[in-house]
């Protein structure tokens, strides 16, 4: 671009010199015409051409009304490479050719013979070369009678070609400017105002071209970067720097920060100080974000290693405190005053133990055994506790998708994530109340909104509040361990850092969106379990089942489903609960051999129990099914058996009879 700029400047200077030369010639021509008019009074044509013989590129000829040359100056002879005898007395058509004479020269001469001064410009082919000629035809008068015309010809081919070259150069420069893959702007050096700006620059900053040309670069530059920018510009003006580069921040039109790599160089003119400079910008916001993530990850790793070492040592001390305090509590009578003191020590030790668990989780040194979990169920369980602790001034809204793929997680840690996020939201709305919204949805991402996760299927948990919000400088620190804005005694500063650590162990991440006074939104991404991992977990479940009986219980009444689960597990069965037919059918189709028996209610949303059973039997014809119903005229024992369902039971369920039926259907599978 600098090379194109230099070429343009050089061509402009040369064109300026040529134009000045033409202006000088025109001035001389005017003086010449004045001299000619004076000489006309003496009717001395030869003296006229002796006067102008020295004019190098001024070709003069006197043509009579018969279109015959009568007088010619030396420049005209040199141009045609003829002697005076070869031109004088010869017709113009003979010299120029019939086509050029009749189309161009004759019409102009006729107008001059009629008393009109004619000016014309035209590309002509002379002696096999294309030349651009400027010709003036002046009527010549003797005794008040026009006897011919003085033809004043100038060859301005070089000027025209120089102008065409300049136009082509400007066209190329404009194409480079507009189509560049980086932002390019021409900026006034003294004012900093944008003079010209390409589309890429506008795209980076978010403003339209007209909006940008009404601004200065100072108005959209982040204040922390402005002084360095201005200092470099001053050095550029003084000639200390030929160009400079820096990383800086612009304010996007939408208010966000945009990082760019800026390179500035002056637009030099020969013999003049630069009045404009060229600014080239490349957006590096994504690179800056990745660098920040790397720095944060390194910092968290270092702090994690330190915290993990401290926590393990602290556990040894706590072991002694808790061990002795427990021994004393067993030995001392409960009514003695010192027993309460020991109890207080023991409770404080328990709180410290919980704190150590959080530190170990943060440091990734407290390994948890993960298993496939249905996140909607865990969230609903946690929200029961959340609702019980929130005041009436806070409204809880939820949008939890029922049909979600399982994740690999620890249920206790999931509860910890929900409780921490909701507790933080409560503290943000504690004074004025507000709305707490919890959403869960499954999404297939090809391009994730966060950059450190691979594409794939994720459960996105969103916790949103309408509280006081989080300022930008605090947002950068909220996932750091022991950082808190709460009062002393209201928080350890480990909550969000622990969540970050847990979710990272799961292969996910957590992000935050917030502005001061506008509430906060946390997004937690959990990768769903792939089919291969699910099969491994199924093998583990099969081998770990105490009696070998794995039962799928389907009931849309959570209380009934839970009590059935408790009852069956007391008899040694491994029980999985689903609250709707869609989830149950999807789970079964993914791995039809992970269950030994189906226990389903008849009245279910979407598919009824009998319809659901038929779908199960299509996938696996040998699966035993028990269908239950409180009352329905549409189903009976006979009808159930005709559909391939082995047993039908009416509610309320007789648990002893249920166990007998299950043992009969499973044969010897429940024997130890």
């Amino acid at each position: 671009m600098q090379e194109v700029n230099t070429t343009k400047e050089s061509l402009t200077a040369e064109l300026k010199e040529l134009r000045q030369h033409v202006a000088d010639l025109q001035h001389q021509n005017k003086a010449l015409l004045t001299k000619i008019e004076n000489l006309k009074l003496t009717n001395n044509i030869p003296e006229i051409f002796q006067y102008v013989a020295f004019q190098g590129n001024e070709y003069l000829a006197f043509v009579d009304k018969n279109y015959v040359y009568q007088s010619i100056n030396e420049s005209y002879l040199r141009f045609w490479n003829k002697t005076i005898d070869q031109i004088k007395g010869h017709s113009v058509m003979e010299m120029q050719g019939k086509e050029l004479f009749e189309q161009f020269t004759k019409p102009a001469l006729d107008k001059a013979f009629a008393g009109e001064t004619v000016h014309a410009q035209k590309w002509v082919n002379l002696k096999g070369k294309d030349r651009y000629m400027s010709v003036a035809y002046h009527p010549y008068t003797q005794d008040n009678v026009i006897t011919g015309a003085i033809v004043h010809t100038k060859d301005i081919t070089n000027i025209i070609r120089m102008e065409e070259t300049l136009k082509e150069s400007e066209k190329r420069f404009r194409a480079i400017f507009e189509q560049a893959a980086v932002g390019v702007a021409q900026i006034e050096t003294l004012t900093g105002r944008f003079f010209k700006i390409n589309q890429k620059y506008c795209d980076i900053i978010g403003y339209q071209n007209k909006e940008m040309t009404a601004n200065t670069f100072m108005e959209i530059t982040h204040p922390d970067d402005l002084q360095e920018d201005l200092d470099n510009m001053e050095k550029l003006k003084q000639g200390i720097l030929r160009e400079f580069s820096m990383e800086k921040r612009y304010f996007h039109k939408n208010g966000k920060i945009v990082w760019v790599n800026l390179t500035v160089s002056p637009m030099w003119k020969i013999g003049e100080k630069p009045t404009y400079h060229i600014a080239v910008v490349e957006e590096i916001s994504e690179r800056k974000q990745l660098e920040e993530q790397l720095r944060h990850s390194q910092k968290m790793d270092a702090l994690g290693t330190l915290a993990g070492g401290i926590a393990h040592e602290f556990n040894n001390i706590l072991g002694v405190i808790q061990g002795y305090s427990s021994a004393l509590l067993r030995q001392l009578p409960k009514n003695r005053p010192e027993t309460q003191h020991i109890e207080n020590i023991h409770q404080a030790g328990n709180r410290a133990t919980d704190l150590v668990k959080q530190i170990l989780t943060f440091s990734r040194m407290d390994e948890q055994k993960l298993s496939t979990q249905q996140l909607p169920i865990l969230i609903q369980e946690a929200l029961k506790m959340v609702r019980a602790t929130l005041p009436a001034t806070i409204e809880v809204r939820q949008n939890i998708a029922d049909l979600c793929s399982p994740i690999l997680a620890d249920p206790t840690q999931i509860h910890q994530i929900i409780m921490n996020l909701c507790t933080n939201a409560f503290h943000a709305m504690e004074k004025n109340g507000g709305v707490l919204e919890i959403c869960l949805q499954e999404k297939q991402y090809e391009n994730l909104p966060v950059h450190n996760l691979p594409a794939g299927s994720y459960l996105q948990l969103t916790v949103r509040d309408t509280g006081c919000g989080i300022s930008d400088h605090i947002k950068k620190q909220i996932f750091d361990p022991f950082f808190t804005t709460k009062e002393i005694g209201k928080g350890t500063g480990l909550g969000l850092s622990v969540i970050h650590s847990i979710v990272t162990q799961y292969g996910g991440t957590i992000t935050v969106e917030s502005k001061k006074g506008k509430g906060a939104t946390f997004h937690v991404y959990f990768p769903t379990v792939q089919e291969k991992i699910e099969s491994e977990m199924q093998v583990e479940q099969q081998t770990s089942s105490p009696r070998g009986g794995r039962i799928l219980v389907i009931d849309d009444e959570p209380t009934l489903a839970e009590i059935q689960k408790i009852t069956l597990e007391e008899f040694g069965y491994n029980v999985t609960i689903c609250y709707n037919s869609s989830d149950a059918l999807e789970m079964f189709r993914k791995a039809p051999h992970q269950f030994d028996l189906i226990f389903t209610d008849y009245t279910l949303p979407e598919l009824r129990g009998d319809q659901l059973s038929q779908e199960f039997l299509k996938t696996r014809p040998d699966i035993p099914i028990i269908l239950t119903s409180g009352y329905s005229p549409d189903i009976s024992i006979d009808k159930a058996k005709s559909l391939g369902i082995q047993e039908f039971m009416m509610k309320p369920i007789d648990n002893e009879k249920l166990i007998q039926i299950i043992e009969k259907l499973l044969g010897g599978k429940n024997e130890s």
Side-chain angles (χ1 to χ4, degrees), residues 611-622:
Q611 296 170 326
L612 181 61
S613 297
Q614 288 180 290
E615 295 299 322
F616 288 144
L617 292 169
K618 288 179 184 178
T619 304
R620 184 180 159 193
D622 65 336

Side-chain angles (χ1 to χ4, degrees), residues 39 69 95-96 134 159 193 208 238 261 269 366 402 408 426 436 439 471 666:
L39 291 174
Y69 290 107
M95 293 297 300
Q96 294 184 349
S134 176
I159 295 175
R193 186 177 68 86
Q208 298 295 323
Q238 296 175 7
N261 187 12
K269 290 186 178 180
D366 187 19
D402 292 329
L408 274 180
F426 159 64
L436 171 61
C439 303
S471 61
L666 295 182

Side-chain angles (χ1 to χ4, degrees), residues 369-372 408 533-546 550 574:
K369 185 176 181 180
L370 306 182
S371 58
T372 52
L408 274 180
I533 299 176
E534 288 177 351
S535 64
E536 290 172 357
M537 295 301 300
Q538 291 155 13
V539 171
E540 182 180 341
Q541 289 176 357
Q542 181 176 5
T543 57
S544 62
S545 177
R550 297 160 299 176
N574 192 324

Side-chain angles (χ1 to χ4, degrees), residues 111-128:
K111 289 181 180 181
F113 296 157
E116 181 182 348
T117 298
V118 181
H119 295 274
Q121 293 181 340
K122 183 176 178 63
W123 280 101
V124 296
N125 188 280
L126 299 174
K127 298 181 291 187

Side-chain angles (χ1 to χ4, degrees), residues 158 189 361 386 391 475 483 504 552 577 613:
N158 291 340
T189 301
T361 300
V386 170
K475 273 196 296 186
F483 175 81
T504 302
L552 175 61
I577 293 177
S613 297

Side-chain angles (χ1 to χ4, degrees), residues 177-187 192 194 196-209 212-213 216-218 220-221 229 248 250-253 258 260-264 277-283:
F177 184 83
E178 292 297 337
Q179 299 173 20
V182 293
V184 184
Q186 183 180 352
I187 301 176
F194 289 97
K196 290 182 180 179
I197 184 166
N198 73 346
Q199 186 58 46
K200 184 64 175 180
Y201 211 123
C202 293
D203 293 342
I204 292 172
I205 310 300
Y207 289 92
Q208 298 295 323
N209 196 292
M212 287 297 294
T213 53
T216 66
F217 76 85
M218 294 85 79
I220 60 173
T221 297
D229 206 348
K248 63 177 287 188
Y250 280 134
F251 287 114
H252 194 278
K253 186 178 180 180
V258 179
V260 298
N261 187 12
L262 169 72
T263 300
V264 180
H277 62 270
I278 293 291
V280 179
V281 297
E282 178 186 8
E283 185 175 2

Side-chain angles (χ1 to χ4, degrees), residues 412-450:
T412 303
Q413 290 181 339
I414 296 297
H415 276 256
Q416 186 176 8
I417 291 172
I418 302 298
M419 293 301 296
N420 272 333
L421 290 176
C422 291
T423 300
N424 286 344
F426 159 64
H427 287 149
M429 299 184 289
E430 190 172 7
K431 289 184 179 180
N432 302 315
V435 177
L436 171 61
E437 186 177 2
I438 301 96
C439 303
L440 181 70
Q441 56 185 329
E442 183 171 352
K443 289 186 175 182
Q444 185 72 32
Y445 289 107
E446 293 183 4
N447 296 305
L448 273 84
V450 284

